[in-house]
Structure formats: structure tokens, C-alpha cells
Amino acid sequence: MDYGYQLLRHVFAQVFGNLPQAARITLVLLAAPMVVVFVTNPGLLDGTAFHFNPDTGTTDFSSLQPLGALLTVIVGLISWLWAAVAWHRYVLLEEYPNGLLPRWRGSNIANYFGNALLILLVMIAVALLGGIVVGIFVAVLQSPAIIVALGIGLIIGVSWMATRVGLVLPAAAIGERLTLRESWAATAPVSGQIILPIIVIALVTTILNQGIVAVFGTSVDVMTPIGQQQQVTLSAIGVVLSVAVGWAQMLVNLALMTTLYGNLIEGRQLN
């Protein structure tokens, strides 16, 4: 059986076969940023945070608190790192939280953040270089179809590269040391096959998100510091569905790294 298909099947089984455990490990942590948003901007609950101007037909979000946004980003980053480390440890070490929250592992979380930041910097560098190449082709060919194809190819290429070096993340979560070069070498034998799960995961989440926007989204004109812009707002049901899709996508992406680490580094078999 093709390795890419086996990998994809194992990833989805790992997530959707352990949804109650995943919810207990991650949901409270991932809800923390939303709590901060509403505590620092209570006007979001009753609609007073939005000022609609009937003369211009635009909505003004200027009453939102910038400090609240900054605090939300900080809490969100810490919560995501904590949840990611806990999920990796649950899958690889069968470590399960005893209380409401998983155990705080500061050194593992710090190492995880450092490795994630390093991967992000590499992704940015690759994206910039790839963007220059794409820009040259766009300027020469002037074809919308080719522009779209090259753009999609660049996104897939950056995701593929991040996956190749991403085994350093589950390694950091369980306290093991793995370099980017070692991760790249370990994934070399299956470098072509891992493209399948990357494409499928991205395609499924894109279709789901676009479907939510189409059904539950409303386009409004918003006044921003750079002028009037169109923005899509979701109904309450749409927000819940969007959050659910984002949560599942996070778990699936983490499971992809975890599965590759378990198979290629620890020698575990794919089911």
C-alpha cells in the first residue's frame, strides 16, 4: 500500500479515533484566548463594539481595545504551545492529564517554541525566494492560470519543506533532541509520498472553510486605518463551525508530525 495513503489514514485515525481525549487535552487551553477577547472587549457580546455609520454604510471597529488584542495573542501563543506539547506527549508517551489541564512542562514548551520559530524563519526565507521566482514567471507569462498554479505550488512546497523538518517539534515535546538536518534526512526516503497528506489536509480544510463562509458569512464594509475594506463576518453558528474546523486542522497537522516521528524516528508501524 502506498506510504502516503497509509500515512494519511493513520493521521485521521489518530485524531478522530481519539476525539474525547483530544478535547480534554486541548479545548480548555484553546478556549483561553477567546475568554481573553471577551473579557477585554465586552462590547463584542452585545454588539456595542461595532459602530455602523448609515451615511457611509461602513462599520467601525475602532472601539476595540488594542491591549486586549495583544494580550489575546500572548495567551493564544502560550495556550497553543502548551496544547501541542501535551498532544504530542499523549500520542507518543501515553501521557494523559489528571486534572482540567495537562501538566505544564516549561522546558519542553520553551524548546518547542524555539524549534517552531526556527521552522517559521526557514519557511519565510523559502517563501520569499519562491515568491521572487513566481514573480518573474508572472511578469513574463502574464497568464492567470499559471499564476494560480504557481501560487498553489509555492504554498504546497513551503508546507512540504516545513513537514520535512517538522519532526523536531514532537522531539522537543517529549524531551528528545533532533536537528533540522536530522529531520530532513529521516524524511528523505518518503519525501515524495508525504505530499499526498499535505494536499488532502489543505484541500479538505479549504473546502470546509469556504463552505462555512458561503453559508454563514456576510460581507460588510469596514473602515480601517488604510481605508474602506470589505470583510466577511460569520454568524454565531458559522463562528462555532469555523473554530471546530480550525481545531481539527490543528490536531491533524500535529498528528502528521507525530506519526512521521513515531514511524521514521522511533520505528513504529503505521496501522
Side-chain angles (χ1 to χ4, degrees):
M1 186 182 297
D2 179 74
Y3 183 86
Y5 171 74
Q6 282 185 295
L7 179 61
L8 182 64
R9 186 178 67 173
H10 187 96
V11 165
F12 277 94
Q14 186 180 110
V15 173
F16 295 102
N18 294 280
L19 274 182
Q21 295 86 340
R24 182 174 176 185
I25 291 170
T26 64
L27 277 186
V28 173
L29 287 170
L30 298 181
M34 298 184 65
V35 173
V36 174
V37 168
F38 291 120
V39 169
T40 56
N41 292 282
L44 290 171
L45 295 173
D46 57 17
T48 58
F50 314 111
H51 297 146
F52 177 74
N53 188 331
D55 296 328
T56 62
T58 61
T59 302
D60 185 2
F61 293 87
S62 60
S63 61
L64 295 178
Q65 298 295 324
L67 182 60
L70 176 61
L71 187 59
T72 300
V73 171
I74 295 173
V75 172
L77 177 60
I78 295 173
S79 298
W80 185 88
L81 292 169
W82 191 350
V85 168
W87 176 247
H88 286 307
R89 293 183 67 85
Y90 167 74
V91 175
L92 295 172
L93 302 178
E94 299 183 0
E95 182 177 285
Y96 200 67
N98 294 322
L100 185 63
L101 296 173
R103 181 177 175 182
W104 172 262
R105 294 186 174 277
S107 61
N108 300 83
I109 291 173
N111 289 334
Y112 197 95
F113 173 70
N115 282 291
L117 184 60
L118 185 59
I119 291 174
L120 177 61
L121 293 175
V122 173
M123 290 174 65
I124 292 173
V126 172
L128 288 175
L129 291 175
I132 292 173
V133 175
V134 170
I136 294 173
F137 276 97
V138 168
V140 173
L141 299 176
Q142 299 288 322
S143 170
I146 293 178
I147 293 172
V148 172
L150 289 175
I152 293 174
L154 178 60
I155 294 172
I156 293 174
V158 173
S159 300
W160 173 80
M161 181 277 304
T163 303
R164 291 282 311 272
V165 299
L167 305 195
V168 299
L169 296 178
I174 63 174
E176 298 293 336
R177 186 181 182 278
L178 191 72
T179 65
L180 296 182
R181 178 173 295 185
E182 289 169 340
S183 176
W184 184 269
T187 54
V190 296
S191 60
Q193 292 92 324
I194 63 177
I195 294 177
L196 174 64
I198 291 172
I199 292 177
V200 171
I201 293 170
L203 186 61
V204 169
T205 53
T206 298
I207 291 174
L208 290 175
N209 283 319
Q210 290 301 314
I212 292 171
V213 170
V215 176
F216 301 102
T218 303
S219 180
V220 296
D221 291 325
V222 178
M223 186 59 64
T224 69
I226 60 174
Q228 184 174 317
Q229 302 287 328
Q230 275 205 333
Q231 180 173 311
V232 176
T233 60
L234 296 175
S235 65
I237 296 176
V239 170
V240 171
L241 292 175
S242 180
V243 170
V245 171
W247 175 61
Q249 182 181 14
M250 183 201 79
L251 291 175
V252 169
N253 285 330
L254 291 175
L256 178 59
M257 303 295 186
T258 311
T259 301
L260 286 169
Y261 182 86
N263 178 242
L264 301 175
I265 303 300
E266 296 185 338
R268 304 188 188 196
Q269 296 299 314
L270 297 180
N271 296 333

